[in-house]
Amino acid sequence: MNLEGILNVSGKSGLFRVISNTKNNVIVESLENGKRGPLHSNNQANMLDEIGIYTYNDTVPLSNIFDSIAKKENGGQAISHKSSNSELINYFRVILKEYDEERVYISSIKKVIQWYNCMQAAGLVILPKETKKETKKETKKETKKETKKETKKETKKK
């Protein structure tokens, strides 16, 4: 999923898309209502494509997590970020099995799910396409399994 140009601004709800840059500020548009406004240099903003979630081995980019949610939900809305903590933790374990539970707080999980739902409502969620290599590998594995089953059946008949 392409998160380029999408911002989270501290102190403001929702996500924003960068429209243009000026000398002293950045013009952004809200994904929720389409209103445009300036972000000054004293506003703290984070680009979503620079955010990652800690795992025990590495840091996973937010775009990969959004892809996992989109696959799980088939492009639809995820659970509400206002769900109970145990529901959110269990949901996030399904999406990212190896996330570091000591460094990823429940507030971070809520933000990720809220951001995904905001992007989905704005129509920015696109289901990731399988690559040709993955589909070729899967079909090769399936044909190998089928031939093994057929040979086993033939040997049992004899």
Side-chain angles (χ1 to χ4, degrees), residues 41 60 76 134:
S41 60
V60 177
E134 290 177 3

Side-chain angles (χ1 to χ4, degrees), residues 19-142:
I19 301 298
S20 69
N21 294 328
T22 63
K23 188 175 183 179
N24 296 325
N25 54 30
V26 177
I27 307 298
V28 295
E29 178 182 44
S30 171
L31 293 181
E32 291 178 3
N33 55 22
K35 290 185 179 180
R36 292 183 180 189
L39 277 185
H40 302 285
S41 60
N42 60 353
N43 291 104
Q44 292 183 356
N46 296 316
M47 299 289 286
L48 290 191
D49 59 354
E50 296 175 354
I51 298 174
I53 298 294
Y54 294 115
T55 62
Y56 293 114
N57 300 325
D58 200 13
T59 302
V60 177
L62 196 57
S63 60
N64 293 357
I65 294 169
F66 284 172
D67 287 341
S68 298
I69 295 172
K71 283 180 186 176
K72 181 182 183 323
E73 300 299 333
N74 202 18
Q77 288 274 323
I79 65 171
S80 172
H81 66 281
K82 295 180 180 179
S83 299
S84 70
N85 290 352
S86 60
E87 284 181 64
L88 291 170
I89 290 170
N90 290 336
Y91 184 81
F92 209 70
R93 279 188 189 136
V94 171
I95 295 165
L96 186 62
K97 293 177 178 71
E98 295 184 353
Y99 82 93
D100 190 346
E101 295 179 18
E102 293 178 4
R103 296 193 294 174
V104 178
Y105 301 112
I106 190 70
S107 60
S108 301
I109 294 172
K110 287 180 180 183
K111 284 180 193 175
V112 168
I113 292 173
Q114 184 178 15
W115 291 341
Y116 172 82
N117 286 336
C118 181
M119 290 188 62
Q120 196 278 335
L124 298 176
V125 172
I126 300 170
L127 284 173
K129 296 179 182 177
E130 291 183 13
T131 60
K132 293 180 181 179
K133 291 180 183 177
E134 290 177 3
T135 55
K136 286 181 181 178
K137 287 180 184 177
E138 289 175 5
T139 54
K140 286 181 182 178
K141 287 180 183 177
E142 290 174 5

Side-chain angles (χ1 to χ4, degrees), residues 141-156:
K141 287 180 183 177
E142 290 174 5
T143 55
K144 286 181 182 178
K145 286 180 184 178
E146 290 174 3
T147 54
K148 286 182 182 178
K149 287 180 183 178
E150 290 173 4
T151 54
K152 286 182 182 178
K153 287 180 182 178
E154 290 175 3
T155 54
K156 285 182 181 178

